[in-house]
Amino acid sequence: MSARSSTCSRREATLGAREHPQIVAAFGGIYADARLQAYLDQTVKRLRPHSDRPDYGYRVTILNSPSINAFSLPGGYIYVTRGLLALANDSAEVAAVLAHEMAHITARHAIEREQQAQSAAIVSQVVSDVVGDAEAGAAAVAVTRGQLAQFSRQQELQADTIGIRTMARAGYDPDGAVTFLRALERQVNLQGKILNQTREAGRVDIFSTHPATPQRILAAESEARANSGSVQGERDGPGYL
């Protein structure tokens, strides 16, 4: 490992450790279920040798929240809510979620987003200071926010691609990624009807951070087909439920 990559690893571990307690507190604490925790740990153990960083350590935390969410922090921290685990229907869908979050970590997406956000802040500040025009500064902020949103969408597609390949190599049915995205799409449509398009204040869920857009579903379908082998991958719906 080079000195630079070693430094990045220490930085990532420090960042993840710093943010972990805040994440747990914000999502209702840890959902303590030994059987479920062991199941997720075993799934990650199975996925890890087939990931882009088989030497990387991961820590899965179940959050005691009914919201449907999964995300990760640098340093190997992966989070899934009990709401998301209730939405999943089989082992392949759970593996798809975990492999996707592992991909975010190994691709260093959180660090890249942080760097992009810092660059955006600098650009908007320079425009305001040099031009001396508040309106020009606001326009610069709007442009950079749009660039950040596009950057995040690209990261989601990349994490889907890496995650699907990882789960397929681990013996899971790669179509699990597709069926889970479709379940998300149905859920957000149902939620919109129930709430009449209103949202609970302060609530952050997977629909805003990992939107199941038609483009994303089509890309996942293509990647799943490309990674489907001659032997049917594992689904195990009854066992998971």
Side-chain angles (χ1 to χ4, degrees):
M1 180 180 289
S2 68
R4 183 178 183 277
S5 61
S6 177
T7 300
C8 287
S9 294
R10 287 196 296 270
R11 178 188 175 193
E12 290 165 5
T14 299
L15 178 59
R18 185 189 71 199
E19 298 296 328
H20 173 72
Q22 300 176 48
I23 293 293
V24 171
F27 280 83
I30 294 173
Y31 183 67
D33 185 313
R35 259 183 95 191
L36 185 55
Q37 185 67 56
Y39 178 88
L40 297 179
D41 291 342
Q42 186 59 39
T43 302
V44 167
K45 183 178 179 180
R46 178 171 163 180
L47 291 167
R48 186 171 64 181
H50 305 281
S51 70
D52 288 351
R53 286 285 306 273
D55 60 322
Y56 215 100
Y58 300 94
R59 171 183 177 179
V60 183
T61 300
I62 309 170
L63 299 172
N64 190 20
S65 171
S67 67
I68 298 169
N69 214 335
F71 46 91
S72 55
L73 289 176
Y77 293 83
I78 296 174
Y79 303 90
V80 292
T81 61
R82 59 180 173 83
L84 180 141
L85 294 172
L87 181 65
N89 286 299
D90 56 43
S91 62
E93 292 188 358
V94 174
V97 171
L98 295 175
H100 177 94
E101 297 306 329
M102 291 168 69
H104 276 311
I105 293 170
T106 59
R108 304 186 70 246
H109 283 163
I111 297 296
E112 289 182 357
R113 280 197 300 270
E114 180 186 44
Q115 292 168 344
Q116 287 278 327
Q118 289 174 350
S119 297
I122 291 171
V123 168
S124 61
Q125 187 62 50
V126 167
V127 170
S128 297
D129 291 347
V130 174
V131 178
D133 186 339
E135 187 174 335
V141 170
V143 169
T144 51
R145 281 179 178 171
Q147 292 172 340
L148 285 172
Q150 178 61 28
F151 185 68
S152 295
R153 286 192 291 271
Q154 291 170 349
Q155 288 186 333
E156 286 304 307
L157 292 172
Q158 184 185 14
D160 282 342
T161 297
I162 297 171
I164 289 170
R165 293 174 185 172
T166 299
M167 65 181 295
R169 289 196 293 258
Y172 292 100
D173 183 353
D175 195 52
V178 179
T179 56
F180 188 75
L181 285 174
R182 288 176 180 156
L184 283 179
E185 185 180 41
R186 291 192 299 270
Q187 187 68 20
V188 74
N189 290 336
L190 176 62
Q191 181 176 309
K193 291 177 181 177
I194 292 174
L195 302 179
N196 193 27
Q197 303 302 328
T198 61
R199 299 178 64 81
E200 181 182 339
R203 176 168 175 166
V204 178
D205 57 30
I206 202 168
F207 309 126
S208 58
T209 56
H210 300 65
T213 62
Q215 176 197 15
R216 187 180 173 196
I217 294 173
L218 285 172
E221 288 174 341
S222 177
E223 192 63 39
R225 283 194 300 270
N227 285 274
S228 295
S230 57
V231 179
Q232 177 69 34
E234 178 184 319
R235 298 295 302 229
D236 190 24
Y240 174 70
L241 295 177

